[in-house]
Amino acid sequence: MIDRYSRQTLFPGIGEEGQKKLGNSSVVIIGCGALGTIIATSLVRAGVGKVRIIDRDFIEYHNLQRQVLFDEEDIKAELPKAIAAERHLKKVNSSIEIEGVVADVNYTNIERLVAGADLILDGLDNLETRFLINDVALKHGIPWIYGGAISSQGMTMTVLPHETACFRCVSPSPTGRGLALTCDTAGVISPAPFIIGSLQTAEAMKILVGAEREINRDLVMINVWEGSFHRIKISPRPDCPACQSRYEFLEAKFGIKTTALCGQNAVQVLNAKVGKLSLDELAARLKPVADVSYNEFMLRFVADNHEMFVFPDGRAILRNTTDESLARGLYAKYIGA
Ligand SMILES: [Zn+2]
């Protein structure tokens, strides 16, 4: 085992002592897309003792461009991302514990899923669940590392509960955002998530080995196409609900709610954060990736072989299914959360 990590223990920031701490640590990675696969592969190779990887999706061909843990065989075998990641990583490092969990992380299960973790890493593609991670992290005093990447840009920030600013200090309320850009509509090039995932990994190592003073407390923003790197000082906001121990996302005050419509073979998606949605804007955004038709009252689109109807109040109905998790996933992917 000494040999496996020799190049890492030579680095003074880690050393033999740090390596032991990594081996005794437990991390949870939520979301296993581009960011998640970079973080998971790096932390497993670094020898973090327990790595839990949670993701709800299956692998598609357009994921292979940037999601480094997956290959064509995984797609043919129809493996969920969490399981494919677990299988590949167990071949990389058999001396640690690796667990893939196929689940849609939401307010009903997140506390159970992160219980006992020393650190939570964000590999998500939707805002909704990030607010939830922020709540659960602050409530249970677990540090977490936010990361996001889209187009050629990315952002990351480390949240040390009740010490640094939290995610809600930066992004106070999701209400009224209306349309959020997603990778499925704006695109993404791999260096953006690769760099952000790598920065998140470095932060994770510092937290796990207890390198308190080295932890980055700024919001970091990069643009790989411009070659730019910015750090922004963030102060805790005195009126931040999460910092005042009011966990509105964990208590489900905001967020996407789904209801199976009995007898109609359809699921309704309600988004408390979207009061008014411009169907013109949504149509323009969806046209390159979906079959879209709309009028002032309703927008219909077909994507991934599913037919969804969207209304100007942000409500949507997914036809021909009773799968609420699928409906929530499609909503987050195409309409934005
Ligand atoms: Zn806060």
Side-chain angles (χ1 to χ4, degrees):
M1 285 310 104
I2 298 297
D3 269 346
R4 178 190 286 268
Y5 305 117
S6 62
R7 299 304 184 269
Q8 185 167 286
T9 50
L10 277 172
F11 175 69
I14 306 275
E16 298 289 345
E17 229 15 69
Q19 191 61 48
K20 272 187 210 134
K21 287 181 183 163
L22 290 179
N24 290 326
S25 300
S26 168
V27 302
V28 175
I29 301 166
I30 302 182
C32 195
L35 293 172
T37 53
I38 286 284
I39 296 165
T41 195
S42 308
L43 292 181
V44 161
R45 286 168 202 275
V48 170
K50 277 189 194 174
V51 179
R52 174 179 283 174
I53 302 159
I54 310 169
D55 194 283
R56 67 183 174 199
D57 284 327
F58 285 80
I59 308 157
E60 296 171 88
Y61 277 95
H62 63 78
N63 297 148
L64 300 184
Q65 165 250 1
R66 66 194 182 285
Q67 302 185 8
V68 294
L69 273 177
F70 310 131
D71 59 36
E72 295 179 359
E73 295 301 317
D74 298 325
I75 298 176
K76 286 182 195 136
E78 299 183 342
L79 293 181
K81 290 181 180 181
I83 300 303
E86 180 193 298
R87 288 191 187 172
H88 287 296
L89 290 172
K90 278 185 167 163
K91 291 186 208 162
V92 173
N93 194 344
S94 59
S95 69
I96 60 163
E97 225 176 282
I98 303 163
E99 183 195 11
V101 178
V102 184
D104 169 55
V105 173
N106 56 56
Y107 70 97
T108 66
N109 61 11
I110 191 166
E111 290 186 279
R112 179 172 53 79
L113 289 168
V114 304
D118 298 305
L119 176 66
I120 304 169
L121 287 127
D122 166 20
L124 288 161
D125 58 0
N126 74 86
L127 204 55
E128 168 77 14
T129 318
R130 287 193 181 114
F131 282 99
L132 196 57
I133 295 179
N134 190 65
D135 273 4
V136 85
L138 266 65
K139 182 176 172 185
H140 295 282
I142 307 170
W144 78 281
I145 305 169
Y146 155 68
I150 195 162
S151 183
S152 63
Q153 304 164 43
M155 253 196 256
T156 178
M157 184 177 120
T158 299
V159 177
L160 304 174
H162 308 294
E163 187 182 326
T164 64
C166 80
F167 191 68
R168 267 197 103 176
C169 292
V170 181
S171 188
S173 165
T175 314
R177 275 174 180 256
L179 299 166
L181 288 175
T182 78
C183 283
D184 296 296
T185 53
V188 59
I189 54 171
S190 63
F194 288 4
I195 290 178
I196 293 298
S198 298
L199 290 172
Q200 287 177 278
T201 304
E203 285 304 302
M205 289 174 158
K206 290 186 258 178
I207 290 171
L208 297 176
V209 304
E212 275 290 318
R213 281 190 308 158
E214 326 302 329
I215 295 169
N216 172 35
R217 284 159 167 81
D218 299 334
L219 176 72
V220 173
M221 303 172 86
I222 60 151
N223 185 323
V224 297
W225 209 250
E226 290 174 0
S228 61
F229 190 104
H230 297 285
R231 295 172 72 128
I232 299 166
K233 285 250 170 291
I234 305 284
S235 303
R237 215 163 35 86
D239 60 341
C240 169
C243 286
Q244 312 295 317
S245 307
R246 281 190 286 118
Y247 307 117
E248 295 172 329
F249 292 87
L250 201 52
E251 285 148 20
K253 181 175 167 185
F254 298 103
I256 297 178
K257 292 276 192 311
T258 52
T259 322
L261 301 175
C262 294
Q264 292 184 37
N265 195 25
V267 179
Q268 174 170 270
V269 186
L270 296 175
N271 189 350
K273 297 176 302 189
V274 176
K276 203 167 166 10
L277 197 63
S278 158
L279 296 184
D280 287 325
E281 273 179 48
L282 182 62
R285 218 157 43 83
L286 288 176
K287 268 188 181 140
V289 292
D291 176 16
V292 185
S293 57
Y294 71 109
N295 57 30
E296 62 188 295
F297 309 110
M298 190 179 76
L299 178 147
R300 171 189 170 275
F301 73 92
V302 179
D304 298 351
N305 293 318
H306 296 288
E307 184 180 31
M308 201 171 224
F309 294 86
V310 190
F311 304 91
D313 61 358
R315 190 167 53 91
I317 289 177
L318 179 66
R319 283 268 182 87
N320 298 317
T321 183
T322 53
D323 185 342
E324 295 187 36
S325 163
L326 170 73
R328 194 162 40 238
L330 285 168
Y331 191 99
K333 184 170 172 182
Y334 290 103
I335 301 165

